[in-house]
Amino acid sequence: MNTRPLGHEFARLFVLCFSVLVLVYLPLIQDPFVRHDDFPALLGTRRAALLKTLDEGRWLNYWWQFRPVFLPSPVHFVLYLVGWSLFSAATALSLLDRDVDGWYKGFLAIFVALSVPAYLMSFWFNTLLPGVWVVALFAVAVLYLPHRTALALMVVAVPLSFMAYTTYPFLLVTLVLLSRKAPKTYKSMAITLGVFVVSLALGVLAVYSLNYIYHGVFGIPVAQWREPTEVNSFADLLANIEKQKVYLHKTLEQMGGGDATHGVVIPLMFLAAWLALFIWNRIIAIGILAAVLVGLAPLVGKALMSGVQVPLRTLGWVWVLFGFCIVSVAVHLSKSSDRWLSLARIAILCVLLFNILAIAKTSYFAFPPWQDTTRKMASSVPEGTETIYVFGDYMEVHGARKAAIQQTRGLQLRLAYLTGATVFICDDKPKGCNDVEPPFDAKGPEEAPVVKPVGQDVFILLPEPDTVS
């Protein structure tokens, strides 16, 4: 029987999750990596955030731009990690019974904290900071409040989380549906799913209405850069199915640390654990299946009808269910024999270790080169510089390819953030470069960028293609 106060357990798991996250993200804590489309939330660019409301429904993220104080990127990153650590700790304690050994709770908490979808989402931490705190506070509410109160809170929390990120609501319904406080009956599950569907419908209606008021469009149109393919015939549907096969292979590669064959192990383990749980605890197994399907059904349906990818980062709630499923099986085996207990612990530890290695490999090797190169570039810019003109291919900046810098804005906004100057990437031929003459030849340097101040302006020449990886 567990006699430790719930508050003490929660505090211990929170510290555990936060410590592990800091350790894994250590190379990025001081200078976090920011994607080009996450800079608007960091810098408070309201117009860019307003554009996201139309084709993604991100109204909570737009309202976030009106905050009175704009903090540095490292502060935002730490606050994001704190919020996700709170969610991870509360999730483990909400889903597992009070008398379950702390070892299993610790594993589930770390598994959620270091889930691959959560890691992939974390690189939009400036944008998603308000959303992750909505999810975290709701998880704490589920942990401490009665089941009926948590159920009622979904009417508010689901629409808010939907306006932060489309699949955040599925994290919330997972917590309420499988909470240890929830009655383990099919009627209770049906009520929970019913309240969730109503709450999600309210969120969709709110977004549609706001889009109509501000953009004149009642709905969420798919952005053209996603290359949607509308289904008008059976042939179109077959074409979209083929596209989803490609996306599925990419997803398995991400889960497998770059190897789709390794990635297959994760869903197979999930299936095996679920089948075992279905035999031993059918009501919980049905609840897990319901939580998976209530999220996957609309996502897969939308993907098939529009041809738009469902990226791995959207599947965070499925990863939570995977962790809960294998821990539940391990807890069941712990009541049978020591041999099965040892095997179960070894299996879930291997999954966790593989997960950590896949994430740490990216954190420690993919992004630091880009961060270091651009910091050095910015440090060469004198204080008081008003305008920076960049010539050359941004992809030839050391680390750009490994960090998958997608657009010139990745370099432009990075330098603007580090220096405070207005930055023009002249290869894009913006109007700002028409009347300037660079103080160097068009031929790029062989290795490092060349930085030359001229008055209050700075000219930067990037390396030529194929000279820097």
Side-chain angles (χ1 to χ4, degrees):
M1 182 68 181
N2 186 1
T3 58
R4 182 178 292 137
L6 181 61
H8 290 182
E9 279 196 304
F10 182 45
R12 287 162 64 96
L13 286 183
F14 165 74
V15 171
L16 174 65
C17 291
F18 184 68
S19 300
V20 170
L21 284 174
V22 168
L23 181 63
V24 170
Y25 288 101
L26 193 58
L28 301 174
I29 293 290
Q30 186 176 358
D31 183 20
F33 176 76
V34 182
R35 289 286 182 198
H36 71 275
D37 51 354
D38 190 40
F39 272 107
L42 174 62
L43 303 174
T45 310
R46 295 177 186 176
R47 183 177 178 277
L50 185 61
L51 294 175
K52 286 278 188 180
T53 60
L54 175 61
D55 53 33
E56 296 183 14
R58 308 289 179 82
W59 282 98
L60 180 63
N61 301 337
Y62 173 64
W63 297 328
W64 172 235
Q65 309 301 311
F66 290 86
R67 62 192 184 275
V69 178
F70 288 85
L71 300 172
S73 182
V75 176
H76 280 176
F77 193 47
V78 170
L79 289 175
Y80 182 90
L81 296 182
V82 168
W84 189 248
S85 298
L86 288 171
F87 173 80
S88 303
T91 295
L93 291 175
S94 295
L95 298 185
L96 298 177
D97 291 335
R98 290 283 288 136
D99 59 354
V100 170
D101 187 77
W103 189 91
Y104 298 105
K105 294 173 182 175
F107 168 81
L108 181 56
I110 295 176
F111 190 83
V112 173
L114 291 177
S115 71
V116 174
Y119 171 74
L120 295 172
M121 287 274 285
S122 68
F123 292 104
W124 286 268
F125 62 92
N126 294 291
T127 300
L128 296 175
L129 186 57
V132 83
W133 275 88
V134 168
V135 170
L137 293 175
F138 183 81
V140 174
V142 172
L143 177 62
Y144 281 101
L145 299 179
H147 173 69
R148 288 187 176 182
T149 305
L151 190 62
L153 283 175
M154 280 208 301
V155 179
V156 176
V158 166
L160 274 179
S161 62
F162 179 75
M163 288 189 281
Y165 194 76
T166 310
T167 60
Y168 271 170
F170 305 136
L171 290 171
L172 308 190
V173 71
T174 294
L175 288 175
V176 178
L177 190 66
L178 296 169
S179 167
R180 57 182 171 79
K181 298 178 183 179
K184 298 303 183 286
T185 64
Y186 295 117
K187 179 181 178 181
S188 174
M189 288 184 181
I191 291 173
T192 298
L193 292 173
V195 173
F196 171 73
V197 170
V198 170
S199 303
L200 187 59
L202 289 174
V204 172
L205 180 61
V207 168
Y208 280 22
S209 300
L210 288 167
N211 277 357
Y212 182 74
I213 293 170
Y214 284 87
H215 302 293
V217 177
F218 187 75
I220 306 178
V222 180
Q224 288 303 309
W225 64 267
R226 297 184 184 274
E227 299 179 350
T229 50
E230 185 179 352
V231 172
N232 295 310
S233 65
F234 185 67
D236 294 336
L237 179 61
L238 291 178
N240 282 348
I241 291 175
E242 290 300 317
K243 289 179 68 174
Q244 296 311 312
K245 288 181 180 179
V246 175
Y247 297 149
L248 177 60
H249 187 271
K250 181 179 178 181
T251 298
L252 292 175
E253 282 185 339
Q254 288 179 307
M255 286 194 296
D259 189 325
T261 305
H262 295 163
V264 173
V265 174
I266 301 296
L268 287 179
M269 286 191 68
F270 191 1
L271 177 61
W274 184 84
L275 289 173
L277 200 58
F278 184 78
I279 297 172
W280 299 326
N281 196 333
R282 185 160 299 184
I283 188 71
I284 294 296
I286 294 298
I288 291 172
L289 181 62
V292 170
L293 294 180
V294 75
L296 282 185
L299 287 181
V300 173
K302 180 69 173 178
L304 291 178
M305 297 307 294
S306 67
V308 174
Q309 178 184 8
V310 179
L312 178 57
R313 64 176 178 271
T314 65
L315 306 179
W317 89 99
V318 178
W319 206 268
V320 172
L321 291 167
F322 172 40
F324 175 57
C325 196
I326 61 175
V327 169
S328 297
V329 169
V331 170
H332 178 86
L333 292 175
S334 69
K335 300 173 183 178
S336 55
S337 70
D338 291 339
R339 183 184 65 173
W340 284 111
L341 171 60
S342 298
L343 288 174
R345 286 188 172 184
I346 290 171
I348 60 179
L349 278 176
C350 286
V351 173
L352 180 60
L353 178 61
F354 183 82
N355 195 60
I356 292 174
L357 289 175
I359 292 174
K361 181 177 70 173
T362 307
S363 296
Y364 279 79
F365 298 109
F367 301 109
W370 166 261
Q371 301 294 90
D372 183 59
T373 302
T374 49
R375 270 199 313 272
K376 290 179 179 176
M377 199 185 303
S379 67
S380 301
V381 175
E383 290 188 15
T385 296
E386 294 182 355
T387 310
I388 298 174
Y389 300 96
V390 181
F391 294 82
D393 184 357
Y394 76 99
M395 285 302 292
E396 296 310 316
V397 176
H398 180 58
R401 299 185 190 280
K402 286 185 178 180
I405 306 301
Q406 296 171 307
Q407 299 184 17
T408 55
R409 281 189 297 159
L411 177 60
Q412 177 194 1
L413 295 171
R414 170 74 170 158
L415 292 177
Y417 171 70
L418 291 174
T419 65
T422 300
V423 180
F424 295 105
I425 308 295
C426 293
D427 272 25
D428 283 352
K429 298 181 180 178
K431 293 181 180 179
C433 295
N434 287 343
D435 300 325
V436 297
E437 187 69 29
F440 39 60
D441 295 332
K443 181 179 174 61
E446 293 185 359
E447 295 182 358
V450 172
V451 179
K452 290 193 175 183
V454 178
Q456 292 183 314
D457 298 334
V458 167
F459 294 82
I460 297 178
L461 180 61
L462 304 179
E464 284 191 314
D466 300 325
T467 59
V468 179
S469 59

